[in-house]
Amino acid sequence: MSEAEHGRITIRAIADEAGVSVPTVSRVINGRSDVAPETRRRVEELLNERGYQRRRSTRTPSRARLVDLVFNELDSPWAVEIIRGVEDAAHAAGVGTVVSAVHRRRASTEQWLDNLRTRASDGVILVVSQLASPILEQLRHLGVPMVVLDPSGGPTMDAPAIGATNWAGGLAATEHLISLGHRRIGFIHGPKQVLCSRARFDGYRAALEAADIEFDPALVYDGDFYHQSGFDAANALMRLDRPPTAIFASSDQMAFGAYEAIRQAGRRIPEHVSIVGFDDLPESRWTSPPLTTVRQPLAEMGALAARTVLEMAAGNEIDSPRLELATELVVRESTAALA
């Protein structure tokens, strides 16, 4: 049971009456030092007046400071980049990082919530496409600051969000191929329920429209950001009567899968097919040929998410509910002018 569920009055009610945030009240209850004296006095008075029953705790006041970083899955290379960014920023602030994967299963999520209650985390960074409303409500009752980091894109969770300029990245990737003379450009879509997938696709469509190139739905195939779907989509594209001369895969992993499909079709990159990815994962520079891709600043996004959630934990207001870091086209050897 969370602290907010003890007694006849909740932390949220105290916060509303005191004119402060829920995390601020939680820090007063837990005896944290990072609260202004006047704010602490006002909150303490309200807690006493309203008869709030504090939970007895066996933890020592000098508990370790921790930030929780939560993924749906940990089987993606971009997860490693995010972890690196979060840990760098957290370490600089003297804070530890707890990494969890909830595997989109309710039982896993409930277990993580139980663990979160036990360790009294300073904040939570969610790298998940969605969480059930009851889970979000439990997080809010715990009074733990929460930031959503959405390289995979997700619906708003009523929390500050850190993202990237996916539409601009999709536009830049397609404009690059158009500038090389390509007009028949295939597109490998990410999961359609994911916001960043739709933004990258919209950028692709916008670039075609700006260049007066008619959109051809036969050149668009669905994927899931992983290698196999990129292979399957590129394999289908290569079997068309008029295959594309270029492909924009909306993730690097799908681009890597497309490389193999193009090789098996007896074609070469970039002589026969140019290809652009999205992410700029470390291995993109080591493929053969090195992959032209849109750099998504994953480590920087993780670091910013960590700094943001720690600012919230300190009781500071966040200026913007959503921050987007710029993407950048990185041109390598997988793209060339149309022969």
Side-chain angles (χ1 to χ4, degrees), residues 58-75:
T58 58
R59 295 196 304 269
T60 61
S62 59
R63 65 172 178 81
R65 295 189 63 195
L66 297 172
V67 166
D68 271 69
L69 175 59
V70 187
F71 294 86
N72 277 332
E73 307 283 353
L74 284 170
D75 57 355

Side-chain angles (χ1 to χ4, degrees), residues 20 29 87 193 224 272 280 317:
V20 299
I29 291 171
E87 288 201 325
Q193 75 276 14
D224 60 7
H272 300 131
D280 195 26
E317 296 294 328

Side-chain angles (χ1 to χ4, degrees), residues 40-56:
R40 180 183 302 279
R41 183 194 61 75
R42 184 165 71 254
V43 171
E44 289 281 8
E45 286 180 356
L46 284 170
L47 290 169
N48 292 331
E49 289 174 5
R50 301 295 179 262
Y52 179 81
Q53 299 298 311
R54 304 180 191 228
R55 178 178 60 183
R56 293 185 178 181

